[in-house]
Amino acid sequence: MKIALLGTGNVAKVLAPKLVSLGHEVTLGSRDAGDSPVAPWAKEIGATVAGIAEAAAASEFLINTAPGLASLDVLTAAGADNLRGKVVVDVSNATEVKDGVLSVVTQEDGSSVAEQLQKAFPEARIVKTLNTMAGQVMVDPGRIPGHHTAFLSGDDAAAKAEVAELLKSFGWGEAQILDIGDVVSARATEAALLLFVRLYTTFQSPEFNLSVARA
């Protein structure tokens, strides 16, 4: 597929090489595409850098890798016309640090980033996933032994099925991919970042993931 990563930060730098290795045509959408510091790296791995709107327009599948608090602005820059009908995977979390304490930022109505994006772009097919783990685990689940879980949230069942297939290409087994419902369910996985941070502090390593065990 032609895939646009909206953002050029750490998560994009993990996803892009994996996607290229799987044969996808990858474009990183950047606000400073004309002078992006990631351009030499992108060329080296076989990806390209373009403006955010240009990247979105040229791609059939998009992944929002921008920070949660910047995500609405980034998708606005991509343009509603360029998002219409397309799957937009959201891997972001909205956080802030006050007095040294990290918290998850939600809207006044308690909604998540994924809900905010779906409301702003009703014709986009928003799917929340992979936001409960470190970047390397997203694309290489085998680095964590045993069963562990990747969650899916979204209103469009067909879009979630497409995203599940992408996750399987990353190495996720079907039994590891758990659809937890509509886009509102993203509130739960975004809130789980607080647990992730506590576990990271405990283990002093991001090499872990959450697992759901059923009777």
Side-chain angles (χ1 to χ4, degrees), residues 57-197:
S59 299
E60 55 193 304
F61 191 100
L62 299 94
I63 304 177
N64 171 43
T65 62
L69 295 180
S71 294
L72 182 59
D73 288 343
V74 168
L75 265 67
T76 299
D81 288 344
N82 295 327
L83 304 178
R84 183 174 294 116
K86 296 179 182 179
V87 174
V88 181
V89 180
D90 177 32
V91 302
S92 73
N93 288 299
T95 62
E96 64 180 0
V97 177
K98 289 185 177 179
D99 300 324
V101 178
L102 182 142
S103 62
V104 173
V105 180
T106 57
Q107 302 301 302
E108 290 184 4
D109 62 359
S111 64
S112 61
V113 176
E115 289 173 87
Q116 183 184 23
L117 299 179
Q118 189 65 84
K119 181 178 179 180
F121 303 98
E123 294 183 276
R125 304 161 70 200
I126 306 294
V127 178
K128 190 82 176 191
T129 193
L130 298 179
N131 63 305
T132 55
M133 65 197 73
Q136 290 295 340
V137 179
M138 296 179 184
V139 299
D140 185 14
R143 68 193 301 125
I144 308 297
H147 177 80
H148 54 105
T149 305
F151 302 96
L152 292 174
S153 299
D155 292 337
D156 188 314
K160 286 189 285 187
E162 288 185 48
V163 175
E165 289 304 312
L166 182 67
L167 297 189
K168 290 175 187 177
S169 74
F170 288 171
W172 291 92
E174 187 168 355
Q176 294 178 288
I177 302 169
L178 182 58
D179 184 344
I180 59 172
D182 62 11
V183 73
V184 176
S185 68
R187 299 182 188 190
T189 58
E190 290 187 25
L193 181 66
L194 295 176
L195 177 59
F196 176 90
V197 172

